[in-house]
Amino acid sequence: MINDTLQNRRYVIGGIMTAVVILYILRLFSIQIIETKYKNGAESNAFLRKTQFPSRGLIYDRNHKLLVYNKPAYDITLIVREIHDLDTLAFCKALKIDKQFFINRIAEIKDYRKNPSYSSYTPQLFMTQLGIEDIATIQQSMYKYPGFYIQNRTLREYAYPNAAHVLGSIGEVSQKRIENDDYYKTGDYAGRDGIEYTYEEQLRGEKGVEILLRDAKGRIKGKYENGKEDVSPKAGENLTLTLDFQLQILAEKLLQGKIGSVVAIEPETGEILAMASNPTFNPGILVGRQRSKNYNSLLKDPTKPLMNRATQGQYSPGSAFKTLQALVCQQMGGITEHTLFSCNGPESSPVKCTHHHGSPVSLLSAVEQSCNPYFWNAFRATIEKNGYGPKNINFRTTYDEWVDRVKSFGLGEKFKDGDLYEQSRGYIPTQKFYNKVYRSEKGWRAITIRSNSIGQGEIMATPLQMANLMCAIANEGHYITPHLNKCDSMLKKIHQCKVDKKYFPVVFEGMWRVFEYGTARSSKIPGIDMCGKTGTVQNSHGKDHAFFVGFAPRVHPKIAIAVIVENAGFGNTFAAPIFSLLAEQYLKGKITRTELEEKTTNTVTNSYVQER
């Protein structure tokens, strides 16, 4: 019995000893493998690992003109545990900072809430994006300040003060981005918007590392293993854009003094040739240590220069929408190109015309004359072709078909398979929306939503979408997703529109007549057949917006353009000349109508003056 008791105790003691050994093993594993603090501390005694940042990829336009490149910059880093006997005042004087900044910065570095990756053993960023003039004084005397190091970087430099919204900017990465991508560490920089954001992984390159050997007192003795373990940084890939930068500069020049935007696209390829938004800013002001200050200033500007109106501005397309209405109504059998409707000018009801012209009106004349009553009647004949009674399922089905065909031209949705950073989706109202607004399926019909027939009402589109619409019409029923990267793979993103090719010629003819006999005849380029559509878009917040869309030349179109000038009134007065000058520059390589260019450039809208 006694022997049994001793035998049991032996098992218990053995079990306890085994558990203790396992716990020690687990703790050692945790310290040496899982936890990095002790590992970093041990390694930092013998090595200094210096991150080598790669040069960011260069950016060119379609004609190989250099737009964005790099210039040298420097960071000041520190390892807290190595700082001793620091002459703080001398250090601050050399860096041209005050002592309070130094104290605050050290406190921020040690604050785990602001700097979760803090360790006294690893390099921490003290100051970033310094120019050679900023570190000139301290560069030769860094040995006096143990624990502080100079680290090479690069900053973006811009060859031109243009295309800020397209190119984007570089900014310090957020904690969320660090957590989602182990490439980044605290203090790293990455693309924040525009092309810099969209192609961040391509442009950023790969980091390298230089391993330096320390002696027992922490002094640098040279490279570890003569640099055999070093990893060289790999520069980012260069990027060629679809932009024609000469055209981009002209677009921004013509928009000065106005609030609005321009988008120009090559219909055959979907390549964006120019994308301008005004007010704008010089992209160079969002580089370096002044970035935060300048960004906040732009953010508070009442004219919203940070907003890319070309992709984020949402407007009723107005008469420009009639070109699409003509196509869809033909496809759905509501009208043919020979269908006639009467027009009594401003006395017409329930939709008025803006002017008197011949009556009855054909589809061709309706496009040329921008006849509101015609397109109202065409819209009603289309969506009510199978009736509209309160229990009529056919009406609801027909309206859904109309929405589907309209959206097939790239309206009402973002271009999700493209490379544009920020977009608004626009809006094509659905049956569900109207059921909610009118509280039942029975509360609405064509006359209830008649404003949609002329591109007003609930219909909204961005200038980018309207330029793309012109591409789809120019291509007689398809478009390639608008894009900025001049890459062959983008050409495969073809979208077929849900209107047959046979319905396009009458719209072509009507848009051609706008330049030959209609509202845009004063903006025609001599010797070039052009197609366009003027839009004067109602604005509930003030004066009407001026819209103009079109493409040129009529046969084998090379460029499609959408122009909007906010609160400027008639489209033919402000928007059409901008369209015409841009088309001339691209097709002929120069502007011959210098008087028109000067007049358009120097015209300032009242809304711009008021906002400023």
Side-chain angles (χ1 to χ4, degrees):
M1 193 71 182
I2 294 175
N3 289 337
D4 290 343
T5 302
L6 292 174
Q7 187 77 10
N8 291 335
R9 287 179 180 178
R10 186 177 64 178
Y11 290 138
V12 171
I13 292 171
I16 292 172
M17 292 178 65
T18 302
V20 170
V21 170
I22 291 172
L23 286 173
Y24 269 109
I25 292 172
L26 291 174
R27 182 55 181 158
L28 287 171
F29 178 80
S30 175
I31 290 173
Q32 295 182 21
I33 307 298
I34 298 176
E35 293 185 16
T36 61
K37 181 173 69 172
Y38 299 100
K39 180 182 178 183
N40 291 337
E43 286 194 351
S44 70
N45 288 326
F47 307 113
L48 174 62
R49 295 176 179 272
K50 294 185 69 175
T51 300
Q52 303 294 299
F53 291 96
S55 294
R56 201 167 174 85
L58 308 180
I59 301 178
Y60 298 85
D61 86 336
R62 69 189 296 113
N63 299 313
H64 310 294
K65 185 177 294 185
L66 180 62
L67 306 180
V68 186
Y69 54 99
N70 304 302
K71 67 178 181 180
Y74 307 89
D75 292 345
I76 302 294
T77 64
L78 60 86
I79 297 177
V80 172
R81 68 182 294 270
E82 296 181 4
I83 300 174
H84 55 84
D85 300 326
L86 177 67
D87 186 342
T88 306
L89 291 178
F91 180 78
C92 291
K93 184 178 180 180
L95 274 178
K96 299 176 183 178
I97 60 176
D98 57 44
K99 185 177 180 180
Q100 191 58 49
F101 174 88
F102 178 90
I103 294 170
N104 293 341
R105 186 70 190 110
I106 295 296
E108 288 176 356
I109 290 172
K110 293 182 177 180
D111 188 338
Y112 283 99
R113 292 173 300 176
K114 296 180 179 179
N115 185 20
S117 62
Y118 169 69
S119 168
S120 63
Y121 295 95
T122 59
Q124 305 291 316
L125 276 174
F126 179 73
M127 294 180 69
T128 64
Q129 298 189 338
L130 300 170
I132 185 63
E133 66 281 356
D134 297 316
I135 65 162
T137 305
I138 200 172
Q139 195 166 24
Q140 302 302 320
S141 57
M142 284 299 289
Y143 69 91
K144 297 180 181 179
Y145 312 112
F148 287 88
Y149 302 90
I150 293 176
Q151 182 169 263
N152 294 346
R153 288 253 198 178
T154 59
L155 287 178
R156 282 312 219 187
E157 188 83 346
Y158 298 89
Y160 305 91
N162 305 94
H165 297 102
V166 175
L167 298 174
S169 62
I170 306 295
E172 188 170 349
V173 294
S174 64
Q175 185 59 36
K176 182 177 180 181
R177 195 162 191 175
I178 293 171
E179 293 169 358
N180 292 337
D181 189 338
D182 59 12
Y183 176 90
Y184 300 108
K185 307 298 179 186
T186 301
D188 281 358
Y189 284 77
R192 296 291 294 270
D193 42 38
I195 283 294
E196 295 278 18
Y197 175 84
T198 305
Y199 291 102
E200 166 65 14
E201 292 188 12
Q202 177 178 331
L203 290 167
R204 73 189 184 188
E206 297 177 11
K207 294 176 184 174
V209 63
E210 180 184 25
I211 307 175
L212 302 177
L213 188 65
R214 299 177 185 271
D215 63 13
K217 294 183 178 181
R219 295 172 297 194
I220 303 300
K221 304 303 292 182
K223 290 194 173 188
Y224 173 65
E225 294 288 339
N226 293 319
K228 292 180 181 179
E229 299 298 319
D230 291 355
V231 177
S232 298
K234 183 179 178 182
E237 297 177 35
N238 296 338
L239 186 66
T240 299
L241 301 185
T242 61
L243 291 183
D244 180 318
F245 219 69
Q246 190 173 1
L247 194 69
Q248 177 73 26
I249 292 171
L250 177 62
E252 293 187 24
K253 176 184 174 182
L254 296 174
L255 280 174
Q256 67 184 32
K258 309 164 189 69
I259 297 177
S261 62
V262 165
V263 180
I265 305 175
E266 185 177 66
E268 185 180 4
T269 63
E271 295 178 355
I272 296 174
L273 303 171
M275 188 164 70
S277 176
N278 200 64
T280 185
F281 57 94
N282 183 336
I285 70 173
L286 294 184
V287 173
R289 298 182 63 197
Q290 297 301 311
R291 173 188 163 83
S292 295
K293 177 182 176 182
N294 291 334
Y295 183 85
N296 288 332
S297 179
L298 292 171
L299 196 61
K300 295 174 183 177
D301 190 324
T303 63
K304 300 179 181 179
L306 289 172
M307 176 184 179
N308 185 357
R309 287 172 164 82
T311 62
Q312 295 175 278
Q314 298 185 99
Y315 310 90
S316 295
S319 294
F321 185 76
K322 293 172 183 175
T323 55
L324 178 53
Q325 191 76 279
L327 293 169
V328 173
C329 288
Q330 286 185 91
Q331 177 68 47
M332 292 181 63
I335 60 170
T336 71
E337 70 174 288
H338 304 295
T339 300
L340 301 175
F341 292 115
S342 62
C343 175
N344 295 319
E347 288 75 43
S348 299
S349 180
V351 177
K352 298 179 180 180
C353 200
T354 57
H355 59 290
H356 287 286
H357 52 80
S359 182
V361 188
S362 66
L363 177 57
L364 178 62
S365 295
V367 174
E368 175 194 345
Q369 295 292 332
S370 197
C371 179
N372 288 344
Y374 186 95
F375 286 101
W376 146 241
N377 282 293
F379 179 62
R380 179 179 61 179
T382 299
I383 68 169
E384 293 186 352
K385 66 178 182 177
N386 295 316
Y388 60 85
K391 297 182 180 180
N392 196 318
I393 296 176
N394 291 330
F395 170 70
R396 298 196 293 275
T397 301
T398 304
Y399 183 76
D400 285 343
E401 180 187 352
W402 181 86
V403 169
D404 183 52
R405 293 187 186 278
V406 167
K407 292 179 75 170
S408 74
F409 282 78
L411 299 182
E413 297 291 344
K414 297 178 181 180
F415 296 106
K416 296 178 181 178
D417 57 344
D419 57 7
L420 294 170
Y421 169 57
E422 287 185 322
Q423 302 177 54
S424 297
R425 62 191 293 266
Y427 192 61
I428 302 299
T430 61
Q431 180 187 155
K432 182 179 179 181
F433 169 80
Y434 284 125
N435 290 343
K436 184 176 180 180
V437 170
Y438 295 105
R439 299 184 180 179
S440 74
E441 298 174 355
K442 306 174 185 179
W444 61 281
R445 48 184 283 199
I447 195 168
T448 318
I449 58 172
R450 56 189 178 276
S451 293
N452 288 350
S453 65
I454 55 173
Q456 299 279 176
E458 288 76 35
I459 292 177
M460 302 292 282
T462 67
L464 171 67
Q465 290 172 339
M466 294 306 294
N468 182 70
L469 169 61
M470 290 300 104
C471 289
I473 293 176
N475 293 334
E476 296 182 277
H478 77 272
Y479 68 87
I480 295 175
T481 301
H483 57 276
L484 287 163
N485 185 356
K486 194 167 175 58
C487 173
D488 290 343
S489 63
M490 300 296 292
L491 304 180
K492 299 175 183 179
K493 299 180 179 183
I494 301 173
H495 301 262
Q496 295 295 332
C497 305
K498 297 180 179 180
V499 170
D500 295 339
K501 190 174 182 178
K502 64 183 180 181
Y503 297 118
F504 285 83
V506 65
V507 175
F508 270 58
E509 179 73 13
M511 294 177 70
W512 173 78
R513 288 191 176 194
V514 170
F515 273 108
E516 295 297 318
Y517 316 113
T519 54
R521 57 187 179 276
S522 62
S523 295
K524 176 180 168 58
I525 303 172
I528 296 179
D529 286 338
M530 306 164 66
C531 294
K533 191 74 189 74
T534 305
T536 303
V537 181
Q538 292 179 8
N539 172 29
S540 59
H541 302 292
K543 195 174 181 181
D544 293 346
H545 301 319
F547 226 138
F548 196 90
V549 297
F551 52 86
R554 177 180 176 178
V555 179
H556 304 303
K558 301 297 182 185
I559 186 169
I561 306 173
V563 181
I564 186 162
V565 182
E566 295 183 15
N567 310 120
F570 296 110
N572 61 305
T573 304
F574 284 92
I578 294 175
F579 172 97
S580 180
L581 290 165
L582 289 170
E584 182 180 21
Q585 172 64 49
Y586 188 69
L587 296 175
K588 293 188 171 184
K590 62 179 181 179
I591 300 292
T592 59
R593 297 165 296 164
T594 54
E595 290 185 6
L596 179 61
E597 179 186 9
E598 184 177 351
K599 178 183 177 182
T600 304
T601 301
N602 295 329
T603 300
V604 178
T605 61
N606 290 333
S607 61
Y608 182 83
V609 174
Q610 291 167 3
E611 289 289 344
R612 301 301 286 187

